[in-house]
Amino acid sequence: MADFKVTRYRIRINHMENKPASPFSVVFLSDLHDVSYGRENERLLQEIRNQEPEAVFIGGDMIVGAKKPRTHAAVALMDELTKRYPVYCANGNHERRMHEQPEKYGEAYEDYSEKIRSFGVHLLENEHEKLQIRRMRFTVWGYELSQEYYGRWGRTALQPEQMKKEIGSPADDSFHILLAHHPAYFDTYAAWGADLVLAGHYHGGMIRLPVVGGLISPQLQLLPPYSRGLFVEKGHRMIVSSGLGSHTIKLRVNNPPELVVIDFL
Ligand SMILES: [Fe+2]
């Protein structure tokens, strides 16, 4: 695996009632697919340490969901991360399919989720938790779409009302971070009320072209929308990571793996 780069975003908070007392950083990891940068991910861990984050957010697909799932590097990474940082994690389609189909994948999901929870990972399966960093109040939501939303052909519609039924509503004036693996539903996430969505899934569109952007998703969808970068809609933001790994189709052109760092100021 080629080495990853660090991509940095700045979120300036103008809300006087809920501003950080001083600037701080968080990191966002997505789509590791059980890749390791050095032994037990030592290079990735070192770079995360260099960033001195106050929290780690994870957007899913950290493993390879298969009959013989690959989870070792992801689990070892989370074991190390929880020794230093609060870690909030949502599932992607790889975790979800193992979760949804125990008849096919056996106890693989239970094993994985129990292990990372035992380290102290806040695994948010359509749940939310409160978090405070430098006096700034956050609510972190993990939203897990079922497999039908990941179909290759077409897009199953998702309404904000359905999200409300599944996970509730962002009712208070804290800053609402939504960990939602699939970026295609940004309109819905924004209408639901997310201040910042953290997503991945498309691996940047694997091949990135000037002007066009990402060419093809790992599910072979052409020109996937929101394949990487920062998107803003009526004050709602979404950061899409091109991910840290790859699995079946190991293809990245003009599209290095990335560690996302977000500065709040
Ligand atoms: Fe994915």
Side-chain angles (χ1 to χ4, degrees), residues 31 33 61 93-94 150 181 201 219:
D31 299 84
H33 290 298
D61 277 8
N93 49 309
H94 279 246
Y150 290 100
H181 183 69
H201 185 54
Q219 288 70 32

Side-chain angles (χ1 to χ4, degrees), residues 21 27 50 93 105 110 123 147 152 160 170 190 221 247 252:
V27 298
N50 294 347
N93 49 309
Y105 298 101
E110 294 306 311
L123 178 59
Q147 286 182 100
R152 188 170 296 166
Q221 183 191 349
H247 51 101
R252 280 181 179 269

Side-chain angles (χ1 to χ4, degrees), residues 21 25 56-57 66 72 86 112 117 158 170 183 199:
S25 304
V56 175
F57 297 110
H72 175 85
Y112 166 72
R117 277 203 167 106
L158 175 69

Side-chain angles (χ1 to χ4, degrees), residues 116-134:
I116 64 170
R117 277 203 167 106
S118 75
F119 306 146
V121 170
H122 301 256
L123 178 59
L124 302 172
E125 295 169 330
N126 290 342
E127 295 159 300
H128 64 278
E129 285 188 27
K130 302 275 181 199
L131 168 70
Q132 191 156 327
I133 305 175
R134 302 205 186 167

Side-chain angles (χ1 to χ4, degrees), residues 5-225:
K5 63 166 187 173
V6 174
T7 307
R8 192 158 217 119
Y9 297 95
R10 290 184 144 197
I11 304 273
R12 190 175 292 280
I13 304 293
N14 296 316
H15 196 308
M16 290 314 290
E17 305 298 311
N18 193 26
K19 268 178 86 69
S22 56
F24 64 87
S25 304
V26 300
V27 298
F28 173 52
L29 318 176
S30 190
D31 299 84
L32 181 72
H33 290 298
D34 211 45
V35 161
S36 189
Y37 292 92
R39 204 175 152 268
E40 306 284 0
N41 259 314
E42 61 190 358
R43 293 209 305 283
L44 180 57
L45 281 161
Q46 184 55 55
E47 187 55 55
I48 293 170
R49 281 196 287 271
N50 294 347
Q51 300 298 333
E52 300 183 355
E54 292 287 337
V56 175
F57 297 110
I58 295 179
D61 277 8
M62 294 300 276
I63 60 173
V64 178
K67 285 208 170 139
K68 277 192 182 163
R70 299 208 302 270
T71 63
H72 175 85
V75 167
L77 177 68
M78 288 196 231
D79 190 8
E80 286 305 309
L81 289 172
T82 48
K83 289 173 187 165
R84 288 169 180 258
Y85 317 106
V87 178
Y88 293 83
C89 179
N91 286 330
N93 49 309
H94 279 246
E95 292 90 0
R96 176 71 194 195
R97 67 185 180 225
M98 298 196 324
H99 196 181
E100 221 172 282
Q101 291 176 276
E103 70 282 4
K104 188 169 173 187
Y105 298 101
E107 293 179 358
Y109 181 75
E110 294 306 311
D111 291 349
Y112 166 72
S113 57
E114 273 170 27
K115 236 179 246 163
I116 64 170
R117 277 203 167 106
S118 75
F119 306 146
V121 170
H122 301 256
L123 178 59
L124 302 172
E125 295 169 330
N126 290 342
E127 295 159 300
H128 64 278
E129 285 188 27
K130 302 275 181 199
L131 168 70
Q132 191 156 327
I133 305 175
R134 302 205 186 167
R135 282 195 234 137
M136 184 172 169
R137 289 168 285 109
F138 291 87
T139 308
V140 188
W141 303 74
Y143 186 42
E144 189 174 322
L145 284 167
S146 64
Q147 286 182 100
E148 66 188 279
Y149 292 92
Y150 290 100
R152 188 170 296 166
W153 317 115
R155 230 187 80 180
T156 305
L158 175 69
Q159 302 301 332
E161 289 66 36
Q162 188 189 327
M163 284 185 72
K164 285 179 193 164
K165 249 190 252 164
E166 288 174 315
I167 62 173
S169 304
D172 66 15
D173 68 349
S174 64
F175 189 91
H176 294 272
I177 292 184
L178 179 70
L179 306 176
H181 183 69
H182 200 328
Y185 297 99
F186 180 39
D187 292 4
T188 307
Y189 304 149
W192 172 80
D195 293 306
L196 173 64
V197 181
L198 299 178
H201 185 54
Y202 287 138
H203 298 186
M206 296 201 287
I207 299 167
R208 289 195 70 82
L209 304 174
V211 186
V212 173
L215 189 62
I216 189 166
S217 79
Q219 288 70 32
L220 309 180
Q221 183 191 349
L222 278 174
L223 304 176

